[in-house]
Short mmCIF file of all heavy atoms in Angstrom, two decimals:
data_model
loop_
_atom_site.label_atom_id
_atom_site.label_comp_id
_atom_site.label_asym_id
_atom_site.label_seq_id
_atom_site.Cartn_x
_atom_site.Cartn_y
_atom_site.Cartn_z
N VAL A 122 0.72 -9.01 11.76
CA VAL A 122 1.36 -7.76 11.43
C VAL A 122 0.33 -6.64 11.41
O VAL A 122 0.56 -5.57 11.96
CB VAL A 122 2.09 -7.85 10.06
CG1 VAL A 122 2.59 -6.50 9.62
CG2 VAL A 122 3.22 -8.84 10.12
N GLN A 123 -0.81 -6.88 10.79
CA GLN A 123 -1.84 -5.85 10.67
C GLN A 123 -2.35 -5.43 12.06
O GLN A 123 -2.52 -4.23 12.31
CB GLN A 123 -2.98 -6.37 9.81
CG GLN A 123 -3.80 -5.29 9.16
CD GLN A 123 -4.80 -5.85 8.15
OE1 GLN A 123 -4.97 -7.06 8.03
NE2 GLN A 123 -5.46 -4.98 7.44
N LEU A 124 -2.57 -6.40 12.94
CA LEU A 124 -3.03 -6.08 14.29
C LEU A 124 -2.00 -5.22 15.02
O LEU A 124 -2.34 -4.23 15.66
CB LEU A 124 -3.28 -7.36 15.09
CG LEU A 124 -4.53 -8.16 14.75
CD1 LEU A 124 -4.53 -9.49 15.46
CD2 LEU A 124 -5.77 -7.37 15.09
N ARG A 125 -0.75 -5.62 14.92
CA ARG A 125 0.33 -4.89 15.60
C ARG A 125 0.43 -3.46 15.06
O ARG A 125 0.58 -2.51 15.83
CB ARG A 125 1.65 -5.64 15.42
CG ARG A 125 2.79 -5.08 16.21
CD ARG A 125 4.05 -5.92 16.13
NE ARG A 125 4.56 -5.99 14.76
CZ ARG A 125 4.68 -7.11 14.04
NH1 ARG A 125 4.35 -8.27 14.56
NH2 ARG A 125 5.15 -7.08 12.82
N ARG A 126 0.33 -3.30 13.76
CA ARG A 126 0.42 -1.96 13.18
C ARG A 126 -0.74 -1.07 13.61
O ARG A 126 -0.56 0.10 13.91
CB ARG A 126 0.47 -2.05 11.65
CG ARG A 126 1.81 -2.52 11.15
CD ARG A 126 1.83 -2.53 9.64
NE ARG A 126 3.13 -2.98 9.15
CZ ARG A 126 3.38 -3.24 7.90
NH1 ARG A 126 2.44 -3.12 6.98
NH2 ARG A 126 4.57 -3.63 7.52
N LEU A 127 -1.95 -1.63 13.63
CA LEU A 127 -3.10 -0.85 14.07
C LEU A 127 -2.94 -0.40 15.52
O LEU A 127 -3.19 0.76 15.85
CB LEU A 127 -4.39 -1.66 13.93
CG LEU A 127 -5.10 -1.61 12.60
CD1 LEU A 127 -6.24 -2.61 12.56
CD2 LEU A 127 -5.61 -0.22 12.32
N SER A 128 -2.55 -1.31 16.36
CA SER A 128 -2.37 -0.98 17.77
C SER A 128 -1.30 0.08 17.96
O SER A 128 -1.47 1.01 18.75
CB SER A 128 -2.02 -2.24 18.57
OG SER A 128 -3.10 -3.14 18.53
N ALA A 129 -0.21 -0.05 17.24
CA ALA A 129 0.88 0.93 17.36
C ALA A 129 0.47 2.29 16.81
O ALA A 129 0.83 3.33 17.35
CB ALA A 129 2.12 0.41 16.63
N ARG A 130 -0.30 2.27 15.73
CA ARG A 130 -0.68 3.53 15.07
C ARG A 130 -1.63 4.37 15.90
O ARG A 130 -1.45 5.57 16.06
CB ARG A 130 -1.32 3.23 13.71
CG ARG A 130 -1.63 4.50 12.92
CD ARG A 130 -2.46 4.22 11.71
NE ARG A 130 -3.82 3.91 12.14
CZ ARG A 130 -4.69 3.27 11.39
NH1 ARG A 130 -4.36 2.83 10.20
NH2 ARG A 130 -5.91 3.02 11.83
N ASP A 131 -2.67 3.74 16.43
CA ASP A 131 -3.68 4.54 17.12
C ASP A 131 -4.01 4.08 18.54
O ASP A 131 -4.99 4.52 19.11
CB ASP A 131 -4.95 4.65 16.28
CG ASP A 131 -5.58 3.32 15.95
OD1 ASP A 131 -5.15 2.30 16.50
OD2 ASP A 131 -6.50 3.30 15.12
N GLY A 132 -3.23 3.18 19.08
CA GLY A 132 -3.42 2.77 20.46
C GLY A 132 -4.63 1.88 20.71
O GLY A 132 -5.06 1.74 21.85
N SER A 133 -5.18 1.28 19.67
CA SER A 133 -6.34 0.41 19.85
C SER A 133 -5.92 -0.90 20.49
O SER A 133 -4.79 -1.35 20.34
CB SER A 133 -7.03 0.15 18.50
OG SER A 133 -6.13 -0.46 17.61
N ASN A 134 -6.87 -1.49 21.21
CA ASN A 134 -6.58 -2.81 21.77
C ASN A 134 -6.85 -3.87 20.71
O ASN A 134 -7.33 -3.56 19.61
CB ASN A 134 -7.39 -3.05 23.06
CG ASN A 134 -8.89 -3.05 22.83
OD1 ASN A 134 -9.38 -3.55 21.83
ND2 ASN A 134 -9.62 -2.47 23.77
N GLU A 135 -6.57 -5.11 21.03
CA GLU A 135 -6.70 -6.17 20.03
C GLU A 135 -8.12 -6.32 19.52
O GLU A 135 -8.34 -6.49 18.31
CB GLU A 135 -6.20 -7.50 20.59
CG GLU A 135 -6.21 -8.60 19.55
CD GLU A 135 -5.64 -9.92 20.04
OE1 GLU A 135 -4.85 -9.92 20.98
OE2 GLU A 135 -6.00 -10.95 19.44
N ALA A 136 -9.11 -6.23 20.40
CA ALA A 136 -10.51 -6.37 19.98
C ALA A 136 -10.90 -5.25 19.01
O ALA A 136 -11.56 -5.50 17.99
CB ALA A 136 -11.44 -6.38 21.19
N GLN A 137 -10.50 -4.02 19.33
CA GLN A 137 -10.81 -2.90 18.44
C GLN A 137 -10.11 -3.07 17.09
O GLN A 137 -10.72 -2.82 16.04
CB GLN A 137 -10.36 -1.58 19.08
CG GLN A 137 -11.16 -1.20 20.31
CD GLN A 137 -10.51 -0.07 21.07
OE1 GLN A 137 -9.29 -0.01 21.19
NE2 GLN A 137 -11.33 0.82 21.60
N ALA A 138 -8.86 -3.49 17.12
CA ALA A 138 -8.11 -3.68 15.89
C ALA A 138 -8.76 -4.77 15.03
O ALA A 138 -8.88 -4.62 13.82
CB ALA A 138 -6.66 -4.04 16.20
N ARG A 139 -9.20 -5.85 15.66
CA ARG A 139 -9.87 -6.92 14.91
C ARG A 139 -11.17 -6.42 14.28
O ARG A 139 -11.51 -6.80 13.16
CB ARG A 139 -10.12 -8.13 15.81
CG ARG A 139 -8.87 -8.90 16.13
CD ARG A 139 -9.18 -10.19 16.90
NE ARG A 139 -7.96 -10.85 17.29
CZ ARG A 139 -7.21 -11.60 16.48
NH1 ARG A 139 -7.57 -11.79 15.23
NH2 ARG A 139 -6.10 -12.17 16.93
N GLN A 140 -11.91 -5.57 14.98
CA GLN A 140 -13.15 -5.01 14.44
C GLN A 140 -12.84 -4.13 13.22
O GLN A 140 -13.58 -4.18 12.22
CB GLN A 140 -13.88 -4.19 15.49
CG GLN A 140 -14.56 -5.02 16.55
CD GLN A 140 -15.21 -4.16 17.63
OE1 GLN A 140 -14.79 -3.04 17.89
NE2 GLN A 140 -16.25 -4.70 18.25
N MET A 141 -11.79 -3.34 13.31
CA MET A 141 -11.42 -2.48 12.18
C MET A 141 -11.05 -3.32 10.96
O MET A 141 -11.46 -3.02 9.83
CB MET A 141 -10.26 -1.57 12.56
CG MET A 141 -10.65 -0.44 13.47
SD MET A 141 -9.27 0.69 13.72
CE MET A 141 -8.79 0.26 15.37
N ILE A 142 -10.29 -4.38 11.19
CA ILE A 142 -9.88 -5.25 10.09
C ILE A 142 -11.09 -5.94 9.48
O ILE A 142 -11.21 -6.04 8.26
CB ILE A 142 -8.81 -6.26 10.57
CG1 ILE A 142 -7.51 -5.52 10.90
CG2 ILE A 142 -8.58 -7.35 9.53
CD1 ILE A 142 -6.49 -6.36 11.63
N ALA A 143 -12.01 -6.40 10.32
CA ALA A 143 -13.21 -7.09 9.83
C ALA A 143 -14.09 -6.16 8.99
O ALA A 143 -14.79 -6.61 8.08
CB ALA A 143 -14.00 -7.65 11.00
N ALA A 144 -14.05 -4.86 9.27
CA ALA A 144 -14.87 -3.90 8.53
C ALA A 144 -14.29 -3.56 7.16
O ALA A 144 -14.98 -2.97 6.33
CB ALA A 144 -15.04 -2.63 9.36
N GLN A 145 -13.04 -3.91 6.93
CA GLN A 145 -12.39 -3.58 5.66
C GLN A 145 -12.67 -4.66 4.61
O GLN A 145 -13.01 -5.79 4.93
CB GLN A 145 -10.87 -3.51 5.86
CG GLN A 145 -10.43 -2.43 6.79
CD GLN A 145 -8.93 -2.48 7.04
OE1 GLN A 145 -8.23 -3.34 6.52
NE2 GLN A 145 -8.44 -1.55 7.84
N ALA A 146 -12.49 -4.26 3.37
CA ALA A 146 -12.54 -5.25 2.29
C ALA A 146 -11.38 -6.22 2.50
O ALA A 146 -10.36 -5.86 3.07
CB ALA A 146 -12.39 -4.55 0.94
N SER A 147 -11.56 -7.44 2.03
CA SER A 147 -10.50 -8.43 2.20
C SER A 147 -9.25 -8.03 1.42
O SER A 147 -9.31 -7.23 0.48
CB SER A 147 -10.97 -9.80 1.71
OG SER A 147 -11.05 -9.79 0.29
N ARG A 148 -8.15 -8.57 1.81
CA ARG A 148 -6.88 -8.29 1.12
C ARG A 148 -6.99 -8.65 -0.36
O ARG A 148 -6.53 -7.91 -1.23
CB ARG A 148 -5.75 -9.06 1.78
CG ARG A 148 -4.41 -8.85 1.12
CD ARG A 148 -3.27 -9.44 1.96
NE ARG A 148 -1.99 -9.32 1.32
CZ ARG A 148 -1.28 -8.20 1.25
NH1 ARG A 148 -1.75 -7.10 1.77
NH2 ARG A 148 -0.12 -8.19 0.64
N ALA A 149 -7.63 -9.77 -0.66
CA ALA A 149 -7.79 -10.21 -2.04
C ALA A 149 -8.59 -9.19 -2.85
O ALA A 149 -8.23 -8.87 -3.99
CB ALA A 149 -8.46 -11.58 -2.10
N VAL A 150 -9.64 -8.64 -2.27
CA VAL A 150 -10.46 -7.64 -2.97
C VAL A 150 -9.65 -6.37 -3.18
O VAL A 150 -9.67 -5.79 -4.27
CB VAL A 150 -11.76 -7.35 -2.18
CG1 VAL A 150 -12.47 -6.12 -2.72
CG2 VAL A 150 -12.67 -8.56 -2.20
N ARG A 151 -8.94 -5.93 -2.14
CA ARG A 151 -8.13 -4.71 -2.29
C ARG A 151 -7.06 -4.89 -3.37
O ARG A 151 -6.85 -3.99 -4.19
CB ARG A 151 -7.47 -4.34 -0.95
CG ARG A 151 -8.47 -3.88 0.10
CD ARG A 151 -7.81 -3.26 1.32
NE ARG A 151 -6.69 -3.97 1.86
CZ ARG A 151 -6.74 -4.89 2.82
NH1 ARG A 151 -7.91 -5.24 3.33
NH2 ARG A 151 -5.65 -5.47 3.27
N LEU A 152 -6.41 -6.04 -3.39
CA LEU A 152 -5.39 -6.28 -4.40
C LEU A 152 -5.98 -6.34 -5.81
O LEU A 152 -5.39 -5.84 -6.76
CB LEU A 152 -4.63 -7.58 -4.10
CG LEU A 152 -3.69 -7.52 -2.89
CD1 LEU A 152 -3.15 -8.91 -2.58
CD2 LEU A 152 -2.57 -6.53 -3.09
N ALA A 153 -7.16 -6.94 -5.93
CA ALA A 153 -7.81 -7.04 -7.24
C ALA A 153 -8.22 -5.68 -7.78
O ALA A 153 -8.20 -5.45 -8.99
CB ALA A 153 -9.03 -7.96 -7.14
N ARG A 154 -8.56 -4.76 -6.89
CA ARG A 154 -9.01 -3.43 -7.32
C ARG A 154 -7.88 -2.43 -7.49
O ARG A 154 -8.07 -1.37 -8.09
CB ARG A 154 -10.01 -2.88 -6.30
CG ARG A 154 -11.31 -3.64 -6.31
CD ARG A 154 -12.28 -3.03 -5.33
NE ARG A 154 -13.53 -3.80 -5.30
CZ ARG A 154 -14.46 -3.63 -4.41
NH1 ARG A 154 -14.34 -2.72 -3.47
NH2 ARG A 154 -15.55 -4.36 -4.45
N ALA A 155 -6.73 -2.74 -6.96
CA ALA A 155 -5.62 -1.78 -6.97
C ALA A 155 -5.02 -1.63 -8.36
O ALA A 155 -4.89 -2.59 -9.11
CB ALA A 155 -4.54 -2.26 -6.01
N ASP A 156 -4.67 -0.41 -8.69
CA ASP A 156 -3.93 -0.16 -9.92
C ASP A 156 -2.46 -0.52 -9.73
O ASP A 156 -1.81 -1.01 -10.65
CB ASP A 156 -4.05 1.31 -10.33
CG ASP A 156 -5.45 1.67 -10.77
OD1 ASP A 156 -6.10 0.84 -11.44
OD2 ASP A 156 -5.91 2.77 -10.43
N ASP A 157 -1.95 -0.24 -8.54
CA ASP A 157 -0.56 -0.50 -8.23
C ASP A 157 -0.47 -1.02 -6.80
O ASP A 157 -1.26 -0.63 -5.95
CB ASP A 157 0.28 0.79 -8.32
CG ASP A 157 0.19 1.41 -9.70
OD1 ASP A 157 0.65 0.76 -10.65
OD2 ASP A 157 -0.34 2.52 -9.81
N VAL A 158 0.50 -1.87 -6.55
CA VAL A 158 0.71 -2.42 -5.22
C VAL A 158 2.20 -2.36 -4.90
O VAL A 158 3.03 -2.77 -5.71
CB VAL A 158 0.23 -3.89 -5.13
CG1 VAL A 158 0.56 -4.49 -3.76
CG2 VAL A 158 -1.26 -3.99 -5.41
N ILE A 159 2.51 -1.82 -3.73
CA ILE A 159 3.89 -1.81 -3.26
C ILE A 159 3.99 -2.86 -2.17
O ILE A 159 3.26 -2.82 -1.18
CB ILE A 159 4.29 -0.42 -2.72
CG1 ILE A 159 4.29 0.57 -3.89
CG2 ILE A 159 5.64 -0.48 -2.02
CD1 ILE A 159 4.56 1.98 -3.49
N ASP A 160 4.87 -3.80 -2.37
CA ASP A 160 5.08 -4.88 -1.40
C ASP A 160 6.08 -4.40 -0.36
O ASP A 160 7.25 -4.24 -0.64
CB ASP A 160 5.62 -6.12 -2.13
CG ASP A 160 5.81 -7.31 -1.21
OD1 ASP A 160 5.66 -7.16 0.03
OD2 ASP A 160 6.12 -8.39 -1.72
N ASN A 161 5.59 -4.14 0.85
CA ASN A 161 6.46 -3.61 1.89
C ASN A 161 6.86 -4.67 2.93
O ASN A 161 7.28 -4.33 4.03
CB ASN A 161 5.83 -2.40 2.58
CG ASN A 161 4.58 -2.75 3.35
OD1 ASN A 161 4.07 -3.87 3.26
ND2 ASN A 161 4.06 -1.80 4.09
N ARG A 162 6.75 -5.93 2.55
CA ARG A 162 7.19 -6.98 3.48
C ARG A 162 8.69 -6.95 3.67
O ARG A 162 9.19 -7.30 4.73
CB ARG A 162 6.76 -8.35 2.97
CG ARG A 162 5.25 -8.57 3.03
CD ARG A 162 4.87 -9.88 2.44
NE ARG A 162 5.07 -9.80 0.99
CZ ARG A 162 4.76 -10.75 0.13
NH1 ARG A 162 4.23 -11.88 0.57
NH2 ARG A 162 4.95 -10.59 -1.15
N ASP A 163 9.42 -6.52 2.65
CA ASP A 163 10.87 -6.42 2.72
C ASP A 163 11.22 -4.94 2.81
O ASP A 163 11.19 -4.23 1.81
CB ASP A 163 11.52 -7.05 1.49
CG ASP A 163 13.03 -6.91 1.48
OD1 ASP A 163 13.62 -6.85 2.56
OD2 ASP A 163 13.60 -6.86 0.38
N GLU A 164 11.51 -4.48 4.00
CA GLU A 164 11.79 -3.06 4.19
C GLU A 164 13.12 -2.68 3.55
O GLU A 164 13.97 -3.49 3.30
CB GLU A 164 11.83 -2.74 5.68
CG GLU A 164 10.50 -2.98 6.36
CD GLU A 164 10.55 -2.70 7.84
OE1 GLU A 164 11.49 -2.03 8.29
OE2 GLU A 164 9.65 -3.18 8.53
N GLY A 165 13.24 -1.41 3.26
CA GLY A 165 14.51 -0.92 2.76
C GLY A 165 14.52 -0.64 1.29
O GLY A 165 13.59 -0.08 0.73
N GLN A 166 15.59 -1.04 0.64
CA GLN A 166 15.82 -0.71 -0.77
C GLN A 166 14.73 -1.23 -1.68
O GLN A 166 14.40 -0.60 -2.67
CB GLN A 166 17.19 -1.24 -1.22
CG GLN A 166 18.35 -0.57 -0.53
CD GLN A 166 18.38 0.93 -0.79
OE1 GLN A 166 18.04 1.40 -1.87
NE2 GLN A 166 18.78 1.70 0.21
N SER A 167 14.18 -2.37 -1.38
CA SER A 167 13.13 -2.93 -2.23
C SER A 167 11.93 -1.99 -2.31
O SER A 167 11.39 -1.76 -3.39
CB SER A 167 12.70 -4.30 -1.69
OG SER A 167 11.61 -4.79 -2.42
N VAL A 168 11.50 -1.47 -1.18
CA VAL A 168 10.36 -0.56 -1.15
C VAL A 168 10.72 0.73 -1.90
O VAL A 168 9.94 1.21 -2.72
CB VAL A 168 9.92 -0.26 0.29
CG1 VAL A 168 8.87 0.84 0.32
CG2 VAL A 168 9.38 -1.51 0.95
N ALA A 169 11.88 1.26 -1.63
CA ALA A 169 12.32 2.49 -2.31
C ALA A 169 12.37 2.30 -3.82
O ALA A 169 11.95 3.17 -4.58
CB ALA A 169 13.67 2.93 -1.78
N ALA A 170 12.85 1.16 -4.26
CA ALA A 170 12.93 0.88 -5.70
C ALA A 170 11.54 0.79 -6.32
O ALA A 170 11.30 1.30 -7.42
CB ALA A 170 13.71 -0.41 -5.95
N GLN A 171 10.61 0.16 -5.62
CA GLN A 171 9.24 0.06 -6.13
C GLN A 171 8.59 1.44 -6.22
O GLN A 171 7.92 1.75 -7.22
CB GLN A 171 8.39 -0.82 -5.20
CG GLN A 171 8.77 -2.29 -5.22
CD GLN A 171 7.98 -3.04 -4.18
OE1 GLN A 171 6.79 -3.30 -4.37
NE2 GLN A 171 8.62 -3.39 -3.08
N VAL A 172 8.79 2.25 -5.20
CA VAL A 172 8.23 3.60 -5.21
C VAL A 172 8.83 4.40 -6.36
O VAL A 172 8.12 5.10 -7.09
CB VAL A 172 8.47 4.30 -3.86
CG1 VAL A 172 8.13 5.79 -3.93
CG2 VAL A 172 7.67 3.62 -2.76
N ASN A 173 10.13 4.29 -6.55
CA ASN A 173 10.79 5.02 -7.63
C ASN A 173 10.26 4.59 -9.00
O ASN A 173 10.00 5.44 -9.86
CB ASN A 173 12.31 4.83 -7.56
CG ASN A 173 13.02 5.72 -8.54
OD1 ASN A 173 12.75 6.91 -8.62
ND2 ASN A 173 13.92 5.13 -9.31
N ARG A 174 10.08 3.28 -9.20
CA ARG A 174 9.54 2.80 -10.48
C ARG A 174 8.15 3.36 -10.74
O ARG A 174 7.85 3.83 -11.85
CB ARG A 174 9.51 1.27 -10.51
CG ARG A 174 10.83 0.63 -10.89
CD ARG A 174 10.69 -0.85 -11.20
NE ARG A 174 10.16 -1.63 -10.09
CZ ARG A 174 10.91 -2.14 -9.10
NH1 ARG A 174 12.21 -1.95 -9.10
NH2 ARG A 174 10.36 -2.84 -8.14
N LEU A 175 7.30 3.34 -9.72
CA LEU A 175 5.95 3.87 -9.89
C LEU A 175 5.98 5.38 -10.12
O LEU A 175 5.23 5.91 -10.95
CB LEU A 175 5.08 3.56 -8.68
CG LEU A 175 4.56 2.13 -8.61
CD1 LEU A 175 3.85 1.90 -7.29
CD2 LEU A 175 3.64 1.83 -9.77
N HIS A 176 6.83 6.06 -9.41
CA HIS A 176 6.95 7.51 -9.58
C HIS A 176 7.35 7.84 -11.02
O HIS A 176 6.73 8.70 -11.67
CB HIS A 176 7.99 8.05 -8.60
CG HIS A 176 8.25 9.51 -8.76
ND1 HIS A 176 7.31 10.47 -8.45
CD2 HIS A 176 9.33 10.17 -9.21
CE1 HIS A 176 7.82 11.66 -8.70
NE2 HIS A 176 9.05 11.52 -9.16
N GLN A 177 8.34 7.15 -11.54
CA GLN A 177 8.77 7.37 -12.91
C GLN A 177 7.67 7.03 -13.91
O GLN A 177 7.46 7.73 -14.89
CB GLN A 177 10.05 6.57 -13.22
CG GLN A 177 11.25 7.01 -12.41
CD GLN A 177 11.54 8.49 -12.55
OE1 GLN A 177 11.48 9.05 -13.64
NE2 GLN A 177 11.85 9.15 -11.44
N HIS A 178 6.97 5.95 -13.65
CA HIS A 178 5.86 5.53 -14.52
C HIS A 178 4.81 6.64 -14.61
O HIS A 178 4.36 7.00 -15.71
CB HIS A 178 5.25 4.23 -13.98
CG HIS A 178 3.98 3.83 -14.65
ND1 HIS A 178 3.94 3.35 -15.95
CD2 HIS A 178 2.70 3.84 -14.21
CE1 HIS A 178 2.69 3.08 -16.27
NE2 HIS A 178 1.92 3.37 -15.24
N TYR A 179 4.40 7.17 -13.46
CA TYR A 179 3.36 8.19 -13.47
C TYR A 179 3.86 9.53 -14.00
O TYR A 179 3.09 10.29 -14.59
CB TYR A 179 2.72 8.32 -12.09
CG TYR A 179 1.74 7.19 -11.86
CD1 TYR A 179 2.07 6.10 -11.05
CD2 TYR A 179 0.52 7.18 -12.51
CE1 TYR A 179 1.19 5.05 -10.90
CE2 TYR A 179 -0.37 6.12 -12.36
CZ TYR A 179 -0.03 5.07 -11.55
OH TYR A 179 -0.90 4.03 -11.41
N ARG A 180 5.13 9.81 -13.84
CA ARG A 180 5.70 11.01 -14.46
C ARG A 180 5.62 10.90 -15.99
O ARG A 180 5.26 11.85 -16.67
CB ARG A 180 7.14 11.23 -14.02
CG ARG A 180 7.26 11.78 -12.61
CD ARG A 180 8.72 11.96 -12.24
NE ARG A 180 9.43 12.79 -13.20
CZ ARG A 180 9.73 14.06 -13.03
NH1 ARG A 180 9.37 14.67 -11.92
NH2 ARG A 180 10.40 14.72 -13.95
N ARG A 181 5.96 9.70 -16.51
CA ARG A 181 5.86 9.48 -17.97
C ARG A 181 4.43 9.62 -18.44
O ARG A 181 4.16 10.22 -19.48
CB ARG A 181 6.44 8.11 -18.34
CG ARG A 181 7.95 8.06 -18.35
CD ARG A 181 8.47 6.77 -18.95
NE ARG A 181 8.06 5.58 -18.23
CZ ARG A 181 8.67 5.07 -17.16
NH1 ARG A 181 9.76 5.64 -16.69
NH2 ARG A 181 8.22 3.99 -16.59
N LEU A 182 3.49 9.06 -17.71
CA LEU A 182 2.08 9.19 -18.09
C LEU A 182 1.64 10.65 -18.10
O LEU A 182 0.89 11.07 -18.98
CB LEU A 182 1.19 8.39 -17.14
CG LEU A 182 1.21 6.89 -17.26
CD1 LEU A 182 0.33 6.26 -16.20
CD2 LEU A 182 0.78 6.44 -18.64
N GLY A 183 2.11 11.41 -17.12
CA GLY A 183 1.77 12.83 -17.08
C GLY A 183 2.27 13.58 -18.29
O GLY A 183 1.57 14.42 -18.86
N VAL A 184 3.47 13.25 -18.72
CA VAL A 184 4.05 13.89 -19.91
C VAL A 184 3.23 13.52 -21.14
O VAL A 184 2.92 14.36 -21.97
CB VAL A 184 5.54 13.51 -20.08
CG1 VAL A 184 6.05 13.93 -21.46
CG2 VAL A 184 6.37 14.13 -18.97
N LEU A 185 2.87 12.27 -21.26
CA LEU A 185 2.09 11.83 -22.41
C LEU A 185 0.74 12.52 -22.49
O LEU A 185 0.27 12.86 -23.58
CB LEU A 185 1.89 10.30 -22.36
CG LEU A 185 3.14 9.45 -22.60
CD1 LEU A 185 2.80 7.98 -22.37
CD2 LEU A 185 3.67 9.67 -24.00
N HIS A 186 0.11 12.72 -21.35
CA HIS A 186 -1.22 13.34 -21.34
C HIS A 186 -1.17 14.84 -21.57
O HIS A 186 -2.18 15.44 -21.95
CB HIS A 186 -1.96 13.03 -20.05
CG HIS A 186 -2.42 11.60 -19.98
ND1 HIS A 186 -3.06 10.97 -21.01
CD2 HIS A 186 -2.32 10.68 -18.99
CE1 HIS A 186 -3.33 9.72 -20.67
NE2 HIS A 186 -2.90 9.52 -19.45
N ARG A 187 -0.02 15.46 -21.31
CA ARG A 187 0.12 16.89 -21.56
C ARG A 187 0.28 17.19 -23.04
O ARG A 187 0.00 18.27 -23.49
CB ARG A 187 1.32 17.46 -20.81
CG ARG A 187 0.96 17.93 -19.42
CD ARG A 187 2.09 18.67 -18.80
NE ARG A 187 2.80 17.69 -17.97
CZ ARG A 187 4.10 17.67 -17.79
NH1 ARG A 187 4.88 18.55 -18.35
NH2 ARG A 187 4.65 16.77 -17.02
N ASN A 188 0.80 16.23 -23.79
CA ASN A 188 1.07 16.45 -25.22
C ASN A 188 -0.09 16.13 -26.09
O ASN A 188 -0.98 15.52 -25.96
CB ASN A 188 2.29 15.64 -25.65
CG ASN A 188 3.54 16.12 -24.93
OD1 ASN A 188 3.64 17.30 -24.60
ND2 ASN A 188 4.46 15.23 -24.67
#
C-alpha cells in the first residue's frame, strides 16, 4: 500500500519509493512516538468518526487551557 501511494502521489518508480520508505523511521517507531493515530485502513465513516473524536478532544483541551 505504501509503495502504491508514494508512486501515485509523486510519480516515483518502485526503486525510488523503496528508498524513501527505507529513509523513514519504522512504522513501530512512528506509532510509539505519536500522540494520536488515525487508522485509515477502513475508508469512510470510520476515518471520519476518528477525526471527529480527535477534533472534539482537542477543542476541549483548548477550552481547558484558556481558563
Side-chain angles (χ1 to χ4, degrees):
V122 172
Q123 203 172 7
L124 286 171
R125 187 174 63 242
R126 285 182 179 171
L127 273 172
S128 296
R130 185 190 73 200
D131 58 9
S133 59
N134 63 39
E135 184 176 336
Q137 292 168 321
R139 287 186 184 281
Q140 286 177 333
M141 286 187 255
I142 292 169
Q145 296 175 359
S147 71
R148 179 170 176 76
V150 168
R151 292 191 314 269
L152 289 172
R154 291 182 182 169
D156 291 322
D157 302 296
V158 175
I159 294 176
D160 182 353
N161 66 352
R162 291 176 290 184
D163 177 29
E164 297 178 17
Q166 294 300 324
S167 174
V168 172
Q171 291 174 75
V172 169
N173 188 48
R174 277 192 301 275
L175 283 174
H176 177 68
Q177 295 305 318
H178 171 72
Y179 282 103
R180 284 180 55 101
R181 283 190 299 275
L182 287 177
V184 168
L185 291 174
H186 288 313
R187 271 189 264 145
N188 296 329

